Amino acid sequence: RMAKVNLLLEMELGVTGGEEDGVDNSNVDSSRLYTQPEEVWQVYEALSSVPNGQFTIAAAFGNVHGVYAPGNVSLKPEILHNTQKYIKEKLDCKSDKPVSFVFHGGSGS
């Protein structure tokens, strides 16, 4: 269906901390704030099998909605780097950035 309508799909993996639109994720298990490379690979592999499929992935790396006191948010952008490396190895491809990432939330500042 995606290919027929030239639709770009965005997949949000993990949890963006904080509160947005009445949904409060402030007390969520902190491990859910950090998407793992294997999780991204599962989605990448499935969506790559769609003919002409176009997609982006919003992987959680500690990003949050809202403003927090300094030191209360722990961003781990290395998760994104490690995920690119992991998927590059899985695909045995030349591109250093096989995944098209987008971001939700921010640093909390």
Side-chain angles (χ1 to χ4, degrees), residues 8-42:
L8 176 89
L9 180 66
E10 178 183 300
M11 295 298 295
E12 185 171 359
L13 305 179
V15 173
T16 301
E19 187 272 328
E20 181 183 41
D21 298 330
V23 177
D24 188 355
N25 290 324
S26 299
N27 295 319
V28 72
D29 180 345
S30 63
S31 68
R32 296 190 56 213
L33 299 174
Y34 304 99
T35 304
Q36 298 305 305
E38 297 82 6
E39 295 171 287
V40 177
W41 170 245
Q42 287 179 320

